Every structure is written in structure tokens, then in C-alpha cells.
Amino acid sequence: MTSASTCTWTGAPATLGNWRTAPHNRWAFHHVREIVPSAEIRNDPGHVHPLAQGEQIEMPAVDTREGALAYDDLMEKIDIDALVVAQQGKILHERYRNGMGAGDPHILMSVSKSMLGLLYGVLSDRGLVDINAPASDYIPALQGTAFQGATIRHLLDMRTGVTFDEDYELTEGLIVDYRKSTNWNPLAAGDPVIDLHDFLLTLRETHTGHGGPFNYVSPCTDLLGWIVERVTGLPYAQAFSQHLWQPLGAERPAYITVDRVGAPRAAGGVCMTARDLTRIGLMIADGGNGVVPQSWLHDIATAGDPKAWDTGGFAKDYPGWSMHYRSKWYVIRDKGPILMCVGIHGQNLFICLNTGLVMAKFASFPTALDTSGERLGLRLFQAIRDTR
């Protein structure tokens, strides 16, 4: 059953300066194109992959240290905006809150990275990009930057040695310059006007060699977005549409935020509906369904390096789980395995490869990072999986 709540927007304007902060984000996250410039990712209305309504499931409670947390209480606790559960092409549960509806695109944040990872599987299969080649083969200006010597594979797996402090609470430094270059933060008086590509070329420092531990650096994904444009000869939104979105059978157009000269925020700026994100999950559960090569999906599920993960910065957030990261996807190496996308403020896609169960979740966490909230979403998915 589809349900929606009334909008929680209070009338205070969401602006470029506050759109990612509570309470403004509850409205802004599904109205991003009204705040940040964007480019449309066109679907093909004549080729829409159907989603049938299946028998609706009862959503389970989630066990926590404080006891069982009922589903409705969990929705409130972790600020869920939309949640869709599906299996074998059928929607088993669907719910919307905070003014969202089934037709509203919501920002993916870093789930956008995982979408790029799928796109690279298609481009590699078509011979448009060599995954093992240095990134500077495609963008010679990278010579002399922190990216020199990094291969496409290093960038896909977040195993570069690039120095970049991805602390979302910082109010100055490289991460703030980065956000300004992508058009996500307003310029202050006297700030230089810099675009995303120029910003990438300013990154000069490394703290280790490429190919080492997992090192989460969002600009690596934006660099891969730049390379997509080089190898396809198309703007990123058009390449995404042609090679992924239209073949998927997406029901609605998606869009991506762009900087002052049209460069895409491939690391976090894609916006789509919960149902279309669910279609991505079902496509993967179906072995790629002719959209993404099955061999690429198998590689994601099996070929990541657990040692690189264990020595990286995120392992502490998932204690007790055997995991790896491959081609912009998190993989939990237990029953399934579970393929997982993660975006700040509570965005997720979960796929259990054994059962074909899929859960797409959008949220508006008040803070960018809420590891306890993220784990609750994962536990909800695991609880559903264990009943199937």
C-alpha cells in the first residue's frame, strides 16, 4: 500500500545555504532542482519496466539494545521519507512521508556513486574505458596532481592515497571549497569562482601510495564522472540516460546537480524516485537483466578486498560484519551476500542476492552521519530478509 503524510515544511525557505540542514532538508531533499542547478536524465516513456503489486508484507520490529522497535516508531526515529520493499518484480511494501509521493525524485547523496559504478560496468563492457588504465590517460591534466598514477580501478574502489578530509561538519578547508565548486554551497564575499574540474586539479597531496587501504574521497567519483564525459563524448546526464537509465526501463526522468559550467556532481547529486531506485535493485538481483553485465555484478559481489576494508576508515562503523567495497558498492559478505549503497542523511539501497529481496530507503537525518540510524536501516532489511 502506498501512503503519504502531509508536508512537514514550515514555510521557512530552503536556500542554498541551509538546504542540507534540519528541518529544511525534509522538504529540500525532494525539491533539489529548485535550489541547485541540474541536468535531466531522460527515461524512455515507451520502455518502462513494470512493477507489479505483490501481496503486502507485515513490516517487522527491529531488535535494539533498548528492546524491539516497532516499524512505525523506526520510521519516525530515523526520519524516513520513502521506503519501498520488492522482490521478483513485485512491490511488497511502499510508504512515503514528509510530503513525498511515488512520483517525487529524492536526492541519493552518495548512493549516486553506486549508480556511477554500474555505469562503468556498461562502459567497460563496451570497450569505452579500460578499468586498469591510469586516469591520466583520459585526462592528461591530472599529471602532477594527487591523482597521478591512480588507475580507474583505484578510483572505483576508493583505494587512492589522495589526502582529503571528508568531515561533513567542517566549516572551512578543502571540503567546503569542494562544495562551493559543485554549486552546493553559496560563495562568500571575496571567494574565487571555481568550478568542479578546476577544484579537482588543485588536489596535490597524497598520504600513501595508490592501491592501499579503503580511503573515502568523494572527489574521486567526480573525477570518474569527468572521464565518463571524455570517453562517451556526451554530458554525464546524457551518457547515464543512454547507457543505463533508458535500458533499465525507468518510469520517470531522474536528474543530477551540476556546477556553474555544467559539470555533474557524480559523487552525490543524482535524484530519482524510490520506485526507480527499486528497479535498479531488482535489475541487479536479476543478474543485470541485460542492462549491466552479469560479470561486472559478480565482480562487485566477490572481488573486493576485505583487508583493504578492514584497514580503512569505515570498518569501525560496521563492527562484527565481514565486508568489502568494490566499484562504489558496499558488500556484506554473509547470508546473501548483501549489496548495499550508502548516502549521507540516510539514503540506502539494499539487495540480498540469495533471495532477490530489495529495499530502497530515502531519509532526511538531521545530521549527515548517523551510524546508529544507518545500522537500524540495515537491521530492518535483515529482519525482512529473515522472514522471506
Side-chain angles (χ1 to χ4, degrees):
M1 176 179 290
T2 301
S3 62
S5 67
T6 57
C7 184
T8 58
W9 181 56
T10 62
T15 69
L16 192 61
N18 67 20
W19 69 279
R20 297 187 310 279
T21 61
H24 306 288
N25 60 344
R26 288 187 173 182
W27 179 87
F29 282 0
H30 56 280
H31 292 84
V32 174
R33 59 187 158 196
E34 298 173 44
I35 301 167
V36 184
S38 65
E40 185 176 71
I41 299 170
R42 295 180 180 177
N43 68 324
D44 179 358
H47 171 62
V48 174
H49 187 78
L51 290 179
Q53 288 292 329
E55 182 178 351
Q56 299 299 288
I57 61 172
E58 182 177 349
M59 297 297 280
V62 174
D63 290 331
T64 71
R65 291 180 180 177
E66 292 75 32
L69 182 64
Y71 172 62
D72 285 345
D73 294 332
L74 182 146
M75 294 286 283
E76 185 70 27
K77 182 178 179 66
I78 61 174
D79 296 283
I80 291 178
D81 298 327
L83 190 139
V84 180
V85 179
Q87 192 173 31
Q88 297 177 347
K90 296 180 179 180
I91 295 178
L92 308 180
H93 177 80
E94 185 173 24
R95 186 167 173 186
Y96 298 92
R97 301 174 68 250
N98 293 332
M100 272 201 71
D104 294 327
H106 189 288
I107 193 161
L108 300 184
M109 296 299 185
S110 287
V111 176
S112 305
K113 296 178 173 69
S114 304
M115 302 301 102
L116 174 136
L118 299 178
L119 179 57
Y120 263 80
V122 177
L123 299 181
S124 174
D125 185 63
R126 295 178 181 176
L128 293 175
V129 65
D130 179 356
I131 298 302
N132 297 312
S136 57
D137 283 4
Y138 299 99
I139 302 177
L142 296 174
Q143 293 288 350
T145 73
F147 298 106
Q148 182 173 328
T151 66
I152 302 297
R153 171 52 67 197
H154 293 148
L155 296 168
L156 284 169
D157 291 354
M158 291 291 192
R159 295 182 66 185
T160 74
V162 175
T163 299
F164 184 81
D165 187 0
E166 192 137 343
D167 181 344
Y168 303 110
E169 303 303 318
L170 292 175
T171 57
E172 59 182 13
L174 280 178
I175 193 168
V176 176
D177 296 340
Y178 169 53
R179 285 174 164 172
K180 288 178 179 179
S181 78
T182 64
N183 242 349
W184 276 35
N185 277 24
L187 295 175
D191 279 346
V193 178
I194 185 171
D195 61 51
L196 176 56
H197 292 173
D198 286 342
F199 172 80
L200 293 173
L201 298 179
T202 68
L203 297 178
R204 298 278 170 170
E205 295 184 15
T206 58
H207 59 275
T208 187
H210 303 308
F214 174 81
N215 178 37
Y216 195 84
V217 175
S218 282
C220 289
T221 309
D222 295 301
L223 175 55
L224 288 169
W226 188 0
I227 292 171
V228 166
E229 296 188 325
R230 285 288 176 91
V231 302
T232 64
L234 297 170
Y236 186 84
Q238 291 184 32
F240 194 101
S241 171
Q242 178 178 315
H243 293 285
L244 189 62
W245 205 236
Q246 294 191 40
L248 172 72
E251 183 179 12
R252 294 180 182 271
Y255 63 95
I256 185 169
T257 67
V258 296
D259 74 359
R260 294 167 183 82
V261 294
R265 181 78 195 276
V270 176
C271 303
M272 65 178 65
T273 67
R275 285 182 178 177
D276 279 333
L277 183 58
T278 301
R279 283 181 170 86
I280 290 280
L282 290 170
M283 176 268 292
I284 292 171
D286 197 26
N289 203 22
V291 179
V292 176
Q294 187 171 15
S295 58
W296 185 261
L297 300 177
H298 180 74
D299 182 86
I300 288 173
T302 63
D305 186 345
K307 291 182 180 178
W309 173 263
D310 290 342
T311 54
F314 282 12
K316 65 182 184 300
D317 296 329
Y318 297 92
W321 283 313
S322 175
M323 295 181 63
H324 71 250
Y325 186 89
R326 184 71 164 177
S327 297
K328 306 298 179 188
W329 286 77
Y330 301 82
V331 179
I332 300 176
R333 301 160 67 97
D334 69 354
K335 304 178 201 175
I338 294 175
L339 272 59
M340 179 171 68
C341 313
V342 179
I344 58 172
H345 295 280
Q347 323 318 318
N348 291 111
L349 176 64
F350 303 102
I351 307 157
C352 178
L353 293 183
N354 277 1
T355 64
L357 185 71
V358 171
M359 187 175 87
K361 175 174 74 69
F362 294 147
S364 50
F365 290 179
T367 57
L369 294 178
D370 181 345
T371 54
S372 63
E374 288 289 353
R375 287 196 290 267
L376 280 174
L378 175 57
R379 286 174 187 159
L380 174 63
F381 178 72
Q382 291 174 314
I384 299 168
R385 177 202 60 187
D386 291 345
T387 68
R388 306 300 297 165

